[in-house]
Amino acid sequence: MQEYQEKRSGLGLLGYIWNEWISTFIILILLLMTLIIGTGEMIHGQLLRIGERLYGNPATGMQYSFLRAEPEKPTCDRHPNIDAQVKEQMKANASDDFASFFGAASERDVRASLLAAQQQCEEKYQAYDKTIKYIEANPGVRTYRAIETGFFGIFKFGTENRAILLVFMVLISAITASLKYHHIGLRNPATKIDYKVYSLFMLIGNALLSFSVISQYRSVINSGVTPTYETVTIYWIWMILFVVLTLISLYQLFVSPPLKREGGNIGLALLSVPLYAYMALITGIVFTFFMDYPMGQGIYLGLLVEFSGIFLNLALFIWAGMLLTQTRVMDLFLNVLRPWNLAPETLTWLILIAAAVPTAYTGASGIFVIAAGAIIYKEVWNAGARRQYALAVSAMSGSLGVVVRPCLLVVLIAMLDSRHVTSDELFGHGIYVFWLTAFIFLGVSLLLAEEKFRVNSPKVALPGMARAFVPVIPYILITVVVLAFYKYALDTGMNEFTAPVILPLVLIAMILYDKMVMPKEAPALNIHEAIVREHEKKSPFLQTHDPHSSQFRLGFGGALRFATSETVGHIGALIILMALSASVGGLIERSEVVELLPTHLGSIYISLACIALLLAIIGMCTDPFGAVILVAATIAPVAYENGIHPIHFWMIVLVAFEFGYVTPPVALNHLLTRLSVGDDEVNAADAEAKEKYTSFYYRYERWLLPIIVLFSSLVLVTYAPLILKLFGWYK
């Protein structure tokens, strides 16, 4: 993860203005538009119903749908001369050369037809007169329909241009991430050689991407099929994005930011290169020079467009996580548990179980880590846990929730492999995996804890809980009011599809309450106040993200801007990485490497081991959504051929992916934790552990704890159903 924190980036004052103000404002507008799009259909449906109740009149047959537009006056003749028209028509019939063949209408039929036309014309005039008279009698209808149709226009425009909205959001946020050196990598550039190598790889990678999308655009234009407006716009945004990123990288190659230290070497410099640049470099070279398929990267970028709704929801979840850091709700909720004086490990276990719910709504652990990993790190550390332990928990904070209803990843699996599994089956068995992993975490944490298990008696804890619960009540009421508004005013409950829209509104309301109603001074944390104060002194992260810091004194607008500013870089870093992960998945698929796997591995035990290992490796390299698509098409059939039950296979997939996300050399969730809390914070935690501990485990706990927990879970999930003949999968 690269994060350049100075107010003057490599592009100077212009870069600072762009990073801190322009991009923040644009992304805020785009996120609000996404909220409008997400709730637009619900709101518009209610506006139509309200309009019907206000201006509809069943007694006269007047409906609001008749009033949504100004009625047009009919153009037909209301009082025609029927006799003259009959004579004219009969004369025309007489001169018709085909009348003798087809037969001519009689005068009676012609008159009846003209009278029917006159009747229809009269009905149109009556409807017009009735509507005009009704509107004049109810002048408010014009104002109301202007509001309703105006909102519908915005909603319709947003819905029809959802993909353009996403790509434009990526354009702004990716440029910002590049200017801030905020892309996800194995380490932060610090020396001159780090920045040079970083910029060189970014330059080549972005140049290859530019060439690819330009090639794809030219291919579409020359295909002979006229592309749609949306297609052309999206290609132009991609071209602008990667050309601009190429120019930024070229500038940064010659103009480095202030160095953090001297020295450095090429090996460490290569670790500073963002994963995104490596992916762009590898896929660009292979597609262009070995497969003669230069538009390959551009084509696989289309996955973002195809699943634009998912990625827009991802952006909203990240924003929700940043908004959460601007509230005191986590502190206040944990105050309810603190009277029990639980050991940090036990308290952390409860936090992880609670974190499974929002993870299930986000759909992937990495999304939750980047959205809420920082606040979990802060709360676990402030609860008295080791700093390395807090980082470990942050990295695996979302790992438990990927098997819990209503996780979108599981829904996607059920869609891709509907012949073999259903979402109900996967969720039904996933709950066992959830509790298995949760108790493994608790057992390992308590076994390796520095302090013994402790808990206060209910006589001591319950009164303290009751007192601590009082400040939480307003936040519960805010949540209930927002959910009730959606449920009863918009007829929409909270589920995996509406959660991305509802959660930001809940948190914005909480921030508004915090800033407008709650006292301006920071709340005391009783027995934990001393710990928090001590941590804040030595933590760069807490100095800007803790309620006791100056950040707490921001007003509502300042808090909203700060949260959105944090969101911009995270969106740019994560979505562009996921886009290139799709290219890597496409490269693997086109190269047919997976086809080299033997269809029959001989023993089901060997098959399970090989497949679990392969899945973990895939989890290290690609994002979960792209990985699931790849696995469903390539590895799943091999697993079924080797006698592995489909439900068992997908449980292994989900756990193996999570194991891959916390395992070096990539360890994506650790990189996202670093992105979330900041490189300086992670370095400070590492230095503190090396100074304080001699034990290998405690020095590297942030790496070892997630690996131990998830590897143990993976082994049990892989072999326990087979050995113990669970669920009737194996006879």
Side-chain angles (χ1 to χ4, degrees):
M1 181 274 305
Q2 332 306 342
E3 187 172 8
Y4 177 46
Q5 299 286 0
E6 299 293 331
K7 287 190 175 181
R8 299 295 184 267
S9 72
L11 297 178
L13 180 61
L14 180 61
Y16 168 69
I17 295 174
W18 170 271
N19 293 337
E20 301 301 327
W21 293 98
I22 297 177
S23 63
T24 300
F25 177 75
I26 294 174
I27 294 298
L28 177 61
I29 296 299
L30 294 177
L31 289 170
L32 292 175
M33 285 184 63
T34 306
L35 287 179
I36 293 174
I37 294 170
T39 57
E41 186 174 359
M42 298 174 274
I43 294 175
H44 186 249
Q46 288 299 102
L47 288 175
L48 290 176
R49 283 189 281 270
I50 292 172
E52 185 62 35
R53 285 196 293 268
L54 290 176
Y55 301 108
N57 190 337
T60 61
M62 182 59 66
Q63 300 178 17
Y64 174 69
S65 58
F66 301 158
L67 309 173
R68 293 188 68 231
E70 194 69 22
E72 294 184 6
K73 187 174 182 178
T75 57
C76 59
D77 187 356
R78 191 172 189 177
H79 303 289
N81 187 333
I82 298 296
D83 292 334
Q85 288 184 354
V86 169
K87 290 180 180 179
E88 183 179 352
Q89 185 63 46
M90 294 303 297
K91 183 178 180 180
N93 290 346
S95 61
D96 187 356
D97 295 336
F98 297 97
S100 59
F101 183 77
F102 291 105
S106 66
E107 181 177 342
R108 180 181 177 182
D109 291 339
V110 170
R111 183 177 295 276
S113 175
L114 291 173
L115 288 173
Q118 181 190 20
Q119 179 62 30
Q120 291 178 356
C121 182
E122 180 63 25
E123 290 174 357
K124 290 180 181 179
Y125 270 100
Q126 289 178 1
Y128 171 77
D129 294 339
K130 177 182 177 182
T131 304
I132 289 293
K133 183 178 179 181
Y134 192 87
I135 291 175
E136 290 175 351
N138 299 272
V141 71
R142 285 192 170 96
T143 303
Y144 184 84
R145 80 179 178 201
I147 297 172
E148 179 263 312
T149 55
F151 181 85
F152 176 73
I154 297 173
F155 160 66
K156 183 172 181 289
F157 175 82
T159 302
E160 292 175 349
N161 296 277
R162 190 190 299 264
I164 295 176
L165 181 67
L166 170 67
V167 179
F168 187 66
M169 186 183 293
V170 173
L171 168 71
I172 301 299
S173 55
I175 290 174
T176 304
S178 295
L179 291 174
K180 288 184 172 182
Y181 293 88
H182 198 71
H183 287 291
I184 301 169
L186 297 179
R187 65 183 291 271
N188 195 35
T191 65
K192 184 175 182 179
I193 190 173
D194 289 346
Y195 284 110
K196 295 299 181 185
V197 173
Y198 173 102
S199 300
L200 178 62
F201 274 70
M202 287 288 286
L203 174 63
I204 300 173
N206 287 319
L208 287 169
L209 284 166
S210 300
F211 178 69
S212 179
V213 294
I214 291 172
S215 298
Q216 173 66 1
Y217 174 73
R218 294 176 62 185
S219 174
V220 170
I221 294 299
N222 297 327
S223 65
V225 179
T226 303
T228 63
Y229 162 80
E230 180 187 53
T231 300
V232 173
T233 303
I234 289 172
Y235 278 126
W236 270 103
I237 295 176
W238 283 131
M239 289 188 288
I240 292 171
L241 169 61
F242 292 117
V243 169
V244 170
L245 293 185
T246 302
L247 295 176
I248 290 174
S249 300
L250 180 63
Y251 180 91
Q252 291 175 338
L253 182 63
F254 296 100
V255 182
S256 299
L259 305 181
K260 296 182 180 179
R261 63 174 180 268
E262 298 296 330
N265 58 67
I266 189 66
L268 291 176
L270 290 173
L271 295 179
S272 301
V273 176
L275 300 179
Y276 146 71
Y278 278 124
M279 291 178 176
L281 202 63
I282 293 170
T283 56
I285 290 174
V286 175
F287 277 138
T288 303
F289 299 106
F290 291 91
M291 293 185 174
D292 193 24
Y293 190 52
M295 67 281 295
Q297 291 171 303
I299 288 176
Y300 286 104
L301 285 173
L303 282 177
L304 257 71
V305 177
E306 184 177 350
F307 297 103
S308 58
I310 291 177
F311 288 102
L312 285 173
N313 287 346
L314 184 154
L316 289 175
F317 275 123
I318 294 174
W319 191 36
M322 298 304 105
L323 290 171
L324 183 61
T325 65
Q326 297 303 296
T327 72
R328 290 177 290 187
V329 65
M330 284 289 288
D331 273 329
L332 295 175
F333 270 102
L334 287 176
N335 281 344
V336 176
L337 296 176
R338 283 172 180 143
W340 290 95
N341 194 28
L342 297 170
E345 291 76 15
T346 310
L347 180 62
T348 300
W349 182 66
L350 296 175
I351 292 174
L352 278 185
I353 290 176
V357 176
T359 301
Y361 281 106
T362 61
S365 63
I367 299 173
F368 181 78
V369 169
I370 202 170
I375 198 165
I376 287 180
Y377 163 76
K378 182 191 75 170
E379 297 301 339
V380 171
W381 188 31
N382 283 344
R386 297 176 297 279
R387 205 169 182 178
Q388 285 273 314
Y389 181 83
L391 287 172
V393 172
S394 179
M396 64 174 298
S397 57
S399 296
L400 273 64
V402 294
V403 291
V404 177
R405 190 183 299 271
C407 180
L408 283 175
L409 194 61
V410 175
V411 175
L412 179 61
I413 290 171
M415 291 170 57
L416 294 172
D417 197 15
S418 58
R419 291 177 53 219
H420 298 98
V421 295
T422 65
S423 58
D424 286 340
E425 290 174 332
L426 294 173
F427 286 130
H429 293 86
I431 197 67
Y432 296 106
V433 177
F434 166 75
W435 285 113
L436 171 68
T437 309
F439 280 109
I440 290 175
F441 172 82
L442 179 62
V444 172
S445 296
L446 292 177
L447 181 65
L448 299 172
E450 291 183 293
E451 301 178 13
K452 293 183 178 180
F453 178 82
R454 66 172 188 265
V455 61
N456 277 344
S457 70
K459 291 182 179 180
V460 176
L462 290 177
M465 281 188 69
R467 289 190 298 271
F469 187 74
V470 174
V472 176
I473 294 175
Y475 296 92
I476 296 176
L477 291 177
I478 289 171
T479 304
V480 170
V481 168
V482 175
L483 294 180
F485 171 77
Y486 272 87
K487 178 66 177 177
Y488 298 105
L490 302 181
D491 194 25
T492 302
M494 183 167 169
N495 53 45
E496 64 270 30
F497 304 107
T498 59
V501 175
I502 297 176
L503 288 178
L505 294 177
V506 171
L507 291 164
I508 289 173
M510 288 181 177
I511 294 174
L512 186 63
Y513 172 78
D514 271 346
K515 305 303 179 183
M516 301 298 182
V517 180
M518 292 295 285
K520 298 299 180 184
E521 66 276 3
L525 295 181
N526 302 322
I527 61 174
H528 288 267
E529 184 176 5
I531 296 176
V532 174
R533 299 291 187 186
E534 179 186 351
H535 288 173
E536 186 181 327
K537 290 178 182 178
K538 57 184 179 181
S539 169
F541 173 75
L542 291 188
Q543 288 167 10
T544 55
H545 291 76
D546 194 79
H548 292 271
S549 70
S550 60
Q551 195 64 47
F552 174 79
R553 292 186 286 274
L554 285 175
F556 174 75
L560 195 62
R561 188 190 72 81
F562 182 86
T564 307
S565 178
E566 294 277 293
T567 303
V568 175
H570 293 340
I571 291 175
L574 185 58
I575 293 185
I576 204 71
L577 178 64
M578 296 178 79
L580 267 296
S581 294
S583 289
V584 172
L587 177 61
I588 294 173
E589 186 176 2
R590 287 185 66 87
S591 63
E592 300 181 348
V593 173
V594 181
E595 300 296 328
L596 300 177
L597 287 174
T599 305
H600 296 282
L601 297 173
S603 167
I604 191 171
Y605 290 93
I606 297 175
S607 301
L608 287 169
C610 292
I611 286 176
L613 176 62
L614 180 60
L615 292 171
I617 294 173
I618 291 175
M620 295 177 189
C621 304
T622 57
D623 73 279
F625 294 101
V628 162
I629 295 172
L630 175 65
V631 167
T634 56
I635 300 178
V638 176
Y640 302 157
E641 286 288 333
N642 282 273
I644 300 174
H645 193 278
I647 298 176
H648 186 199
F649 169 74
W650 286 112
M651 291 297 105
I652 296 172
V653 168
L654 293 171
V655 179
F657 281 179
E658 294 307 314
F659 174 68
Y661 298 147
V662 298
T663 305
V666 178
L668 180 60
N669 280 9
H670 283 287
L671 300 181
L672 296 177
T673 299
R674 183 186 289 265
L675 183 73
S676 185
V677 304
D679 194 68
D680 292 338
E681 189 72 22
V682 175
N683 291 339
D686 289 342
E688 180 182 293
K690 291 178 181 178
E691 179 182 347
K692 186 176 180 180
Y693 298 106
T694 57
S695 166
F696 179 81
Y697 172 80
Y698 289 127
R699 283 189 167 196
Y700 301 99
E701 186 174 24
R702 70 183 180 93
W703 298 99
L704 296 176
L705 177 62
I707 290 175
I708 292 171
V709 171
L710 290 171
F711 179 75
S712 302
S713 179
L714 178 59
V715 171
L716 289 174
V717 169
T718 301
Y719 285 108
L722 176 62
I723 296 173
L724 302 178
K725 309 299 181 186
L726 300 176
F727 310 114
W729 291 342
Y730 304 100
K731 303 299 182 183

